[in-house]
Amino acid sequence: MTRNEKLHEECGVFGIISTKPTAVVPLTASALLALQHRGQESAGIATFVDGTLKTKKGMGLVTDVFSSDYLEFVANAKIAVGHVRYSTTGSCNLENAQPIETVHSKVSLALAHNGNLTNSAQIRRELIQSGMVLHTTNDTEIVNILIVKNMIETGDLESAIVGAMNFIEGAFSIVIATKDKLIAVRDRNGFRPLCMGRLGDSIMFASETCALDALGAEFVRDVAPGEVVSVDLKGNVSSRMLERASKSGLCSFEFIYFARPDSVIDGISVYEARVNMGRALYRQRPTEADYVCGVPDSGMQAAYGYSMESGIPMAPAFVKNKYVGRSFILPDQVKRENAVDVKLNPIKATVEGKRLIIIDDSIVRATTSTRTIKMLRRAGAKEVHMRISAPPFRYECFFGVDIDRRDKLVANKYDVDGICKLIGADSLEYLSLDNLKAISPSTSFCTGCFTGDYPAPVTPTLKNSFDDGISN
Ligand code: AMP
């Protein structure tokens, strides 16, 4: 199996259970809309209507997939799970859309997953050898099969789920709906976020707190790394821990780029983290300038922090076209470069004749920074000082973030001076690893994409599977 066929995703998940029939499906659609930044390729919701599993999935945005007719059709139910999916190049099809449903005489379930399993190839081989027929190349199907297999053996749903989760490795924040239970699981390292909320008679789980806010729900707590939380139709909540507790490893990229700034993950405000990264960037290398400018959207909060720390005013250097999709996953360099040109346009009135501090969250292949600096020069910028609110990306991510293999990462080919020359900046500074970790000194983050040191095992087989078939 190539990496493109594997689950290698930054997705959003949501699950809700209510003691009374209520608008769980429309609420799930609203929550998924709040999580849309975590995936724009496909969306899906699964619910139980009169004990029967009903799933609606489609390609595109939440608003494209769920019509008002559909939301009215399932206006009242007690349980639902939903998913928005982000794809890597080449894996964009309906087969990979989630939730993944399984209907079996022992149990019917729908499962939504955010993360990346690291031992799926081995499990897949073992399942096939034991006579199982697999219908997709999707990792999530494996989890469903493991649960059903355990159900046949034990007859107890929670043990079946815990058994399956004890078997899988890697990054997983998962929500599972059965006809009478909602179960939320977070992997042993807590790579991906997962929180719990409450609204009236409903209990819910979401990738980010911004989804709870969108529903007017109250935040209850984060699901702990390695925890399995189960909620039944009476609203009873129980919790168990997975075997083999591991070193915690919350993904630092959630704070750098991925999560919404109004979310709070494991007690850390994403907004405050980004502002502090910007402040630290100024302290690392104080630089005189006329304006501090963020590259929209994810450079904006760090730019604000830099501006506050330095006293240099913040000004908008770019207009971002809201209607352009993501340039990052386009299949070739020319397309990516053109997409950046259409997406961002400099505001001459801010830029002309000015010394600018430009802040972006990351440099991966250097497409965005090279193009943006060229645009700023064309618009008459006098000096462009690039500041990046992350350390240099040097290594692959095996735990669910779409970062290219290491030989495509610009920081693997050049040192900081070389990258500065390549992108055409007057100076370049990356956030130091220590200052990244300082956003929460009491939290143990995964910083593997910067250091090559991961909190969970990365086997040679896993590394090889990453090297196969990459086209982006
Ligand atoms: P590049 O243009 O290849 O250097 O990529 C850096 C730009 O892409 C930055 O502006 C980031 O905001 C964005 N970016 C970085 N990593 C990702 C990712 N995993 N998914 C989507 N966008 C990303």
Side-chain angles (χ1 to χ4, degrees):
M1 197 188 333
T2 68
R3 174 177 169 247
N4 288 340
E5 291 166 329
K6 281 172 56 59
L7 236 179
H8 188 92
E9 297 159 11
E10 309 153 335
C11 302
V13 298
F14 182 80
I16 181 166
I17 185 165
S18 177
T19 53
K20 296 190 188 118
T22 187
V24 289
V25 170
L27 285 170
T28 302
S30 299
L32 293 182
L33 204 50
L35 297 172
Q36 187 82 80
H37 61 289
R38 297 185 72 87
Q40 299 94 41
E41 176 208 317
S42 63
I45 296 179
T47 188
F48 282 85
V49 178
D50 300 327
T52 304
L53 182 56
K54 302 264 180 215
T55 308
K56 166 112 180 123
K57 296 189 263 194
M59 302 306 289
L61 301 175
V62 172
T63 44
D64 301 328
V65 176
F66 306 109
S67 64
S68 47
D69 282 358
Y70 167 73
L71 295 175
E72 270 163 35
F73 167 66
V74 279
N76 281 315
K78 288 187 171 179
I79 186 161
V81 288
H83 189 267
V84 283
R85 180 169 188 264
Y86 168 116
S87 83
T88 55
T89 309
S91 59
C92 189
N93 58 46
L94 194 57
E95 185 199 278
N96 284 323
Q98 296 194 35
I100 302 282
E101 72 264 63
T102 297
V103 176
H104 189 275
S105 59
K106 288 285 179 189
V107 65
S108 289
L109 62 96
L111 185 149
H113 170 204
N114 169 211
N116 186 47
L117 303 185
T118 52
N119 63 339
S120 59
Q122 179 201 332
I123 298 177
R124 177 173 286 274
R125 248 191 333 270
E126 286 169 13
L127 286 174
I128 291 170
Q129 274 161 10
S130 74
M132 302 294 297
V133 178
L134 305 188
H135 299 285
T136 72
T137 55
N138 188 313
D139 280 6
T140 303
E141 185 193 14
I142 293 172
V143 187
N144 286 37
I145 291 172
L146 286 175
I147 295 171
V148 171
K149 206 164 164 274
N150 290 347
M151 265 308 271
I152 295 167
E153 282 160 23
T154 69
D156 174 60
L157 178 70
E158 271 161 57
S159 321
I161 290 177
V162 171
M165 301 298 155
N166 277 330
F167 216 66
I168 58 176
E169 279 168 18
F172 50 90
S173 280
I174 287 177
V175 288
I176 303 166
T178 66
K179 67 180 178 4
D180 49 16
K181 278 205 173 123
L182 175 67
I183 290 135
V185 191
R186 194 166 172 201
D187 66 72
R188 299 165 195 86
N189 302 90
F191 282 107
R192 305 275 135 233
L194 192 62
C195 64
M196 181 176 173
R198 186 187 294 273
L199 176 69
D201 299 315
S202 304
I203 291 177
M204 62 198 72
F205 299 92
S207 289
E208 288 183 39
T209 57
C210 66
L212 307 182
D213 297 339
L215 306 186
E218 158 206 357
F219 169 77
V220 175
R221 66 181 179 88
D222 290 290
V223 176
E227 188 181 8
V228 182
V229 186
S230 171
V231 189
D232 68 16
L233 286 171
K234 292 189 177 133
N236 297 316
V237 179
S238 61
S239 161
R240 288 163 75 165
M241 295 307 286
L242 296 179
E243 287 167 6
R244 292 178 282 126
S246 297
K247 197 171 136 194
S248 106
L250 176 60
C251 171
S252 52
F253 198 60
E254 291 280 350
F255 295 92
I256 293 164
Y257 169 83
F258 206 57
R260 241 170 69 161
D262 50 341
S263 288
V264 178
I265 301 173
D266 289 351
I268 312 164
S269 151
V270 176
Y271 170 79
E272 279 175 7
R274 288 188 189 157
V275 168
N276 287 336
M277 291 174 196
R279 283 185 179 279
L281 272 172
Y282 177 71
R283 287 196 304 270
Q284 272 179 225
R285 183 172 180 173
T287 306
E288 280 189 24
D290 299 304
Y291 291 131
V292 181
C293 311
V295 178
D297 294 315
S298 43
M300 301 310 282
Q301 294 89 42
Y304 182 51
Y306 194 104
S307 169
M308 287 202 291
E309 191 72 12
S310 63
I312 302 170
M314 194 170 161
F318 298 101
V319 168
K320 181 182 169 190
N321 186 328
K322 288 188 246 161
Y323 309 101
V324 178
R326 291 171 42 244
S327 47
F328 187 79
I329 61 161
L330 291 174
D332 67 63
Q333 189 59 16
V334 174
K335 286 200 181 102
R336 284 195 291 263
E337 286 175 8
N338 291 341
V340 175
D341 290 354
V342 178
K343 189 153 89 179
L344 296 172
N345 196 37
I347 301 173
K348 218 168 173 184
T350 310
V351 167
E352 197 164 26
K354 296 292 190 298
R355 297 167 304 164
L356 305 173
I357 304 284
I358 300 292
I359 306 208
D360 201 358
D361 63 277
S362 56
I363 297 178
V364 181
R365 308 178 193 94
T367 315
T368 310
S369 33
T370 309
R371 297 306 276 194
T372 51
I373 292 172
K374 216 173 256 167
M375 284 176 199
L376 293 169
R377 300 258 187 232
R378 231 185 287 134
K382 197 160 130 200
E383 289 174 23
V384 182
H385 301 278
M386 196 77 199
R387 300 292 178 265
I388 301 296
S389 57
F393 276 113
R394 293 209 171 92
Y395 300 91
E396 299 89 348
C397 174
F398 300 96
F399 302 99
V401 173
D402 176 23
I403 292 173
D404 231 326
R405 68 180 196 209
R406 68 181 71 174
D407 61 359
K408 300 258 182 92
L409 303 175
V410 79
N412 232 326
K413 297 186 208 153
Y414 305 98
D415 63 9
V416 176
D417 284 346
I419 299 171
C420 182
K421 267 197 206 103
L422 181 83
I423 64 176
D426 291 290
S427 72
L428 169 66
E429 180 80 10
Y430 285 91
L431 186 72
S432 71
L433 192 61
D434 284 347
N435 278 332
L436 172 63
K437 290 181 183 164
I439 62 174
S440 175
S442 57
T443 306
S444 165
F445 292 102
C446 176
T447 54
C449 51
F450 310 120
T451 59
D453 183 15
Y454 303 93
V458 173
T459 59
T461 322
L462 183 61
K463 279 198 177 132
N464 291 341
S465 75
F466 197 96
D467 284 342
D468 282 342
I470 298 175
S471 57
N472 53 342

